[in-house]
């Protein structure tokens, strides 16, 4: 059925039966950070494309890294709290042993000879029990805080340094990707660190080898998505940062060892004798 009005003809049937254009929903086209991390753990390719094509992939990558570090930190704190509630209390045993030691005649003699010995002995006793708790797997503030700081710093530094080296090698292969895209997609490659969320359960530990292998596979997929290289070049780009860092460590150790040997007077004398005897 058509309706004519002047020079304009309107087809009413076409209006009723014409398909409607789907509305563009930014929330569905751009998944949240947790959704991206979940898909990454399943080794899918979609998350990398979302971050690569984002308006600011580098900034989004930084948010992803902070989310990963924050979740792992939260798991460690909860694990410490639950461990404190469930682990046997060693404070009473520590106090009894300290009282028994300070009552010994040997302790009194040491204090008479050096009054500062009492403070040093107390500090050493506390440190020894702290180390014993760590060896036995007991939750301690020192071990938990150290683990949190090391994990956060190592993750961020490794992400930045690996992205810099991998991007440089990929550009050498002719990639036209931006550095921000490399940063963005590689942030998702640290999603396997979320397996450490099992540390909420006191004593539970995720194998480091499993995390490393999953991260290596994720880095390969991330770099392939960002730079569009073939399988062999992408594999080289993925492994090159490890090789470069290993070479730098070897050079530093060799130079440091050579410097230490030069500071040894016996080595210096031997080198002088060798130079004198050399033709």
């Amino acid at each position: 059925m058509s309706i004519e009005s002047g020079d304009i003809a309107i087809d009413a049937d076409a209006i009723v039966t014409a398909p409607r254009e789907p509305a563009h929903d930014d929330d569905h086209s751009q998944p949240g950070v947790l959704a991206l991390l979940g898909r990454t753990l399943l080794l899918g390719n979609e998350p990398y494309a979302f971050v690569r094509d984002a308006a600011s992939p580098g900034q989004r990558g930084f948010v992803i890294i902070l989310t990963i570090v924050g979740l792992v930190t939260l798991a460690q704190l909860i694990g410490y709290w639950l461990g404190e509630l469930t682990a046997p209390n060693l404070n009473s045993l520590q106090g009894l042993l300290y009282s028994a030691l300070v009552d010994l005649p040997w302790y009194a003699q040491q204090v008479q000879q050096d009054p500062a010995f009492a403070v040093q002995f107390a500090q050493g006793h506390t440190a020894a029990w702290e180390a014993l708790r760590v060896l036995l797997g007991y939750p301690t503030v020192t071990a938990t805080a150290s683990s949190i700081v090391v994990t956060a710093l190592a993750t961020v530094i490794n992400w930045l340094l690996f992205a810099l080296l991998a991007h440089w090698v990929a550009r050498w292969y002719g990639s036209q990707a931006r550095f921000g895209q490399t940063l963005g997609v590689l942030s998702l490659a640290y999603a396997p660190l979320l397996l450490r969320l099992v540390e909420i359960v006191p004593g539970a530990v995720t194998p480091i080898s499993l995390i490393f292998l999953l991260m290596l596979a994720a880095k390969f997929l991330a770099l392939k998505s960002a730079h569009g290289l073939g399988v062999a070049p992408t594999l080289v780009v993925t492994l090159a940062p490890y090789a470069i860092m290993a070479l730098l460590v070897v050079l530093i150790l060799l130079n440091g060892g050579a410097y230490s040997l030069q500071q040894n007077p016996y080595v210096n004398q031997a080198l002088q004798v060798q130079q004198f005897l050399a033709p």
Side-chain angles (χ1 to χ4, degrees):
M1 180 180 65
S2 61
I3 302 175
E4 295 185 1
S5 176
D7 296 334
I8 302 176
I10 301 175
D11 191 348
D13 295 333
I15 294 178
V16 175
T17 59
R20 298 180 60 185
E21 293 292 333
H24 180 69
D25 192 347
D26 292 337
D27 295 334
H28 292 287
S29 61
Q30 294 292 332
V33 174
L34 295 180
L36 289 173
L37 292 174
R39 297 182 189 181
T40 302
L41 287 175
L42 298 177
L43 298 180
N45 292 316
E46 293 182 358
Y48 307 109
F50 280 120
V51 176
R52 178 197 63 200
D53 299 334
S56 300
Q59 294 180 5
R60 187 153 202 199
F62 186 66
V63 173
I64 292 172
I65 286 291
L66 290 182
T67 302
I68 295 172
V69 171
L71 290 174
V72 174
T73 299
L74 181 61
Q76 290 177 307
L77 291 175
I78 296 175
Y80 167 76
W81 177 68
L82 292 177
E84 278 285 316
L85 294 177
T86 57
N89 192 351
L90 298 179
N91 292 333
S92 58
L93 180 60
Q94 178 180 348
L96 289 174
L97 181 60
Y98 180 78
S99 300
L101 291 174
V102 298
D103 289 339
L104 295 175
W106 165 83
Y107 179 84
Q109 294 176 358
Q110 295 297 325
V111 172
Q112 289 179 355
Q113 296 176 1
D114 183 10
F117 176 79
V119 177
Q120 297 174 357
F121 182 81
Q123 294 175 348
H125 185 267
T126 302
W129 274 92
E130 188 76 8
L132 179 62
R133 287 184 173 90
V134 173
L135 291 175
L136 295 178
Y138 278 72
T140 64
V141 175
T142 303
T144 303
S146 300
S147 177
I148 289 174
V149 172
V150 169
T151 300
L153 291 179
T155 302
V156 175
I157 293 174
N158 185 276
W159 170 57
L160 294 173
L161 187 58
F162 186 92
L164 180 64
L165 295 176
H167 185 77
W168 175 72
V169 177
R171 296 285 290 186
W172 184 75
Y173 269 102
S175 171
Q176 299 299 318
R178 304 190 309 273
F179 181 60
Q181 292 176 313
T182 303
L183 281 173
V185 296
L186 280 176
S187 65
L188 291 171
Y190 291 84
L193 286 175
L194 293 177
L195 295 178
R196 294 189 58 181
L197 293 180
V198 300
E199 295 180 12
I200 291 178
V201 180
V205 179
T206 305
I208 297 178
S209 57
L210 174 62
I211 294 177
F212 175 78
L213 290 176
L214 289 176
M215 287 178 59
L216 190 63
K219 287 178 180 179
F220 175 85
L221 295 176
L223 292 171
K224 193 173 189 304
S225 175
H227 298 281
L229 302 174
V231 174
T234 303
L235 185 61
V236 173
V237 173
T238 305
L239 299 178
Y242 295 103
I244 294 173
M245 291 305 301
L247 180 61
L248 290 177
V249 170
V250 170
L251 292 176
I252 292 173
L253 293 176
L254 290 177
N255 291 334
Y259 178 77
S260 300
L261 289 175
Q262 290 177 359
Q263 303 306 310
N264 191 312
Y266 300 103
V267 174
N268 279 332
Q269 293 177 4
L271 292 175
Q272 291 175 2
V273 172
Q274 181 183 7
Q275 291 177 357
F276 177 77
L277 295 177

